[in-house]
Amino acid sequence: MGICVFGAIEWQLQKNRCEREGKPRTASELQSRIYCSLPLRIISRCWGWLAACYLPPSLRPYVYGWYSNTFDVNLSEAMYPEYEHYNSLAEFFTRPLKEGVRVIDQQAPLVSPADGKVLHFGSASDSLIEQVKGVSYSIEDFLGPLETVEQANSGASYAQALKKKSDGSTELYQCVIYLAPGDYHRFHSPTAWKPTIRRHFSGELLSVSPKVAGWLPGLFCLNERVLYMGQWKHGFFSYTAVGATNVGSVEIYMDADLKTNRWTGFNVGKHPPSTYEYDELVLNKELTEAPKEFGKGDLVGQFNMGSTIVLLFEAPKNFKFDIIAGQKIRVGESLGHIVGSK
């Protein structure tokens, strides 16, 4: 009872502080620590195990039907629209689509990598950028250190040092897309690009729902994520799959060695002291191997539940987004265009 009373008082005090300062109602440092101390990784691993369990054919129409109705699943687009085809919930979550139901916009320089909701988009030229309106995160904490000593010693801000072009003709942009539980869970390449580094931050497995993203500053820097950095025709490009509560794992098809949502024991409330703790893999360094690169619309990987894709990229200053915050978007639809280009 005492803990509940204390929690209610803390919640009200933080609400009053935010109102006095004219800021969005976000979590206090104490609330953030309490939330991060919940056994969400253990819960997520248990859910992943349960979702992978074999489901008898007689139960599939009831379980999958309930899930479809609850989360508004459009099974008519699936390659296999019959419930009986899927041996487990995990297979149902990651169902492939029929050929041709997602058309890739060949005219757009950048297309949506996933079905989902646009949480936020815009400039990423400052050290703090928005994850949703009014709630920010650090671009340096999110990506980790700069790739080269030359970048670090350039004297430019972190965001500016990321850029491949130094003639002032380009800008950094970001786009955040949230995949709900009922969405198509596979994700694709939004453009033609070549990754050079993969970083895996073990992090937390906090919820990335729009409500939590609007409540917890720095959420994307706290969570487990798989980040690929490289280059596209306009300069720097990064593609990040962010883990979340109940995401059994994040799978990248070209990266068989990647293992997410690892068992770390019952270390509830114990977290890495720095967001810079990560595993790094240099890609395309062996001349004897086929280069790892993506074409626009290529299949990249899958979430074993809903989660989030974050794009951070360099583009000409006359790049304009074709989207609005909160809208639903599908794989292959245009994210933006370059004004004046054909």
Side-chain angles (χ1 to χ4, degrees), residues 18-128:
C18 292
E19 289 177 350
R20 283 198 307 270
E21 297 172 5
K23 297 179 179 179
R25 185 176 175 180
T26 56
S28 66
E29 181 67 23
L30 177 60
Q31 290 168 359
S32 176
R33 286 181 177 275
I34 292 173
Y35 184 33
C36 289
S37 297
L38 297 176
L40 298 177
R41 183 169 294 276
I42 297 173
I43 292 171
S44 297
R45 286 188 62 85
C46 291
W47 173 252
W49 173 84
L50 181 63
C53 288
Y54 177 81
L55 194 65
S58 59
L59 295 179
R60 294 173 193 175
Y62 300 102
V63 175
Y64 302 153
W66 169 82
Y67 187 90
S68 298
N69 291 331
T70 301
F71 296 110
D72 196 24
V73 174
N74 185 0
L75 203 58
S76 65
E77 296 181 331
M79 183 179 295
Y80 308 105
E82 302 82 13
Y83 289 135
E84 290 75 14
H85 175 83
Y86 304 98
N87 293 322
S88 66
L89 271 171
E91 285 189 13
F92 186 70
F93 296 151
T94 56
R95 61 196 176 276
L97 297 183
K98 292 176 183 175
E99 189 73 27
V101 297
R102 295 291 182 272
V103 178
I104 307 300
D105 188 336
Q106 298 300 333
Q107 302 303 314
L110 205 65
V111 300
S112 177
D115 286 12
K117 174 191 268 187
V118 177
L119 281 192
H120 200 71
F121 63 91
S123 172
S125 57
D126 297 325
S127 59
L128 288 177

Side-chain angles (χ1 to χ4, degrees), residues 122-269:
S123 172
S125 57
D126 297 325
S127 59
L128 288 177
I129 55 178
E130 291 186 309
Q131 62 189 32
V132 296
K133 186 172 178 59
V135 180
S136 302
Y137 65 99
S138 164
I139 186 174
E140 184 173 2
D141 286 348
F142 182 72
L143 294 179
L146 295 166
E147 292 183 57
T148 66
V149 174
E150 289 77 10
Q151 287 176 313
N153 293 335
S154 67
S157 67
Y158 181 93
Q160 296 304 312
L162 286 174
K163 297 197 301 183
K164 303 295 184 182
K165 299 181 180 180
S166 57
D167 59 2
S169 64
T170 60
E171 192 59 86
L172 279 180
Y173 300 91
Q174 67 145 342
C175 182
V176 182
I177 298 175
Y178 167 71
L179 289 73
D183 287 326
Y184 168 57
H185 287 72
R186 300 187 178 198
F187 44 88
H188 298 246
S189 174
T191 191
W193 68 290
K194 183 178 180 179
T196 55
I197 283 181
R198 181 258 281 165
R199 289 174 175 169
H200 172 216
F201 296 78
S202 56
E204 312 288 349
L205 285 177
L206 311 176
S207 171
V208 292
S209 71
K211 287 185 178 180
V212 176
W215 172 70
L216 186 60
L219 171 62
F220 299 147
C221 301
L222 294 172
N223 264 18
E224 180 168 19
R225 58 197 181 278
V226 181
L227 160 70
Y228 291 86
M229 289 193 291
Q231 189 165 350
W232 71 318
K233 65 180 180 180
H234 295 297
F236 173 80
F237 193 90
S238 72
Y239 186 111
T240 305
V242 182
T245 307
N246 289 341
V247 176
S249 64
V250 178
E251 296 181 36
I252 306 295
Y253 299 139
M254 73 165 187
D255 199 344
D257 295 330
L258 175 68
K259 303 295 180 186
T260 62
N261 196 4
R262 296 172 180 167
W263 174 248
T264 57
F266 295 96
N267 297 322
V268 177

Side-chain angles (χ1 to χ4, degrees), residues 254-294:
M254 73 165 187
D255 199 344
D257 295 330
L258 175 68
K259 303 295 180 186
T260 62
N261 196 4
R262 296 172 180 167
W263 174 248
T264 57
F266 295 96
N267 297 322
V268 177
K270 295 183 179 180
H271 316 289
S274 170
T275 56
Y276 288 132
E277 289 196 0
Y278 57 86
D279 299 323
E280 181 172 285
L281 177 67
V282 178
L283 306 173
N284 294 309
K285 65 178 180 179
E286 299 294 338
L287 298 179
T288 57
E289 296 181 358
K292 294 179 172 64
E293 52 189 12
F294 296 106

Side-chain angles (χ1 to χ4, degrees), residues 298-309:
D298 286 355
L299 195 57
V300 176
Q302 65 185 41
F303 291 116
N304 288 342
M305 196 60 176
S307 198
T308 299
I309 297 290

